[in-house]
Amino acid sequence: QVQLVESGGGLVQPGGSLRLSCAASGSIFSIVAMGWYRQAPGKQRELVAAIISGGITNYADSVKGRFTISRDNAKNTVYLQMNSLKPEDTAIYYCNANIIGYGLGYAKDYWGQGTQVTVSS
């Protein structure tokens, strides 16, 4: 089994910064991709940023230039550095990982429990 544990959410003023972390643990053979999604009240869950093996990244247009995703392969951890935060960034942020477990011949998607990010003065 695989677990994703997130940390780093909280309350921040507009223009501030936060850094989210997500560590994957368990029976991991290979991590194909890791990323962050968010869901605001009354809205659908949306992709914020993702990073795949080799370091290729993808960002939602709304966060380009403000958010940076990175990954520590040795620690099976993905980070999301969020700068110049806006009230519209307020949401629950979920970590997602596409992982091939030991004994499996295919990748599965796993989700973290979510961490609240609130941007407000």
Side-chain angles (χ1 to χ4, degrees):
Q1 192 57 280
V2 173
Q3 299 82 37
L4 301 181
V5 178
E6 302 149 343
S7 61
L11 172 64
V12 64
Q13 292 186 343
S17 299
L18 282 175
R19 188 192 195 208
L20 305 182
S21 300
C22 172
S25 63
S27 183
I28 298 171
F29 174 73
S30 176
I31 298 178
V32 177
M34 298 186 82
W36 292 92
Y37 287 71
R38 67 186 181 187
Q39 187 166 18
K43 294 187 177 181
Q44 289 188 333
R45 190 174 296 190
E46 63 175 358
L47 174 69
V48 177
I51 183 166
I52 64 173
S53 299
I56 297 173
T57 58
N58 182 38
Y59 294 93
D61 288 342
S62 59
V63 307
K64 284 181 180 176
R66 299 188 297 122
F67 291 10
T68 302
I69 190 169
S70 61
R71 181 172 155 182
D72 185 332
N73 292 327
K75 296 181 179 180
N76 289 337
T77 298
V78 65
Y79 305 96
L80 185 67
Q81 178 65 45
M82 304 185 292
N83 298 328
S84 302
L85 282 160
K86 304 175 181 180
E88 50 263 44
D89 294 318
T90 296
I92 298 175
Y93 284 68
Y94 296 92
C95 177
N96 169 266
N98 191 248
I99 294 173
I100 301 173
Y102 281 106
L104 291 180
Y106 57 91
K108 289 178 61 176
D109 265 347
Y110 296 89
W111 292 90
Q113 78 282 2
T115 184
Q116 177 71 46
V117 171
T118 302
V119 185
S120 175
S121 54

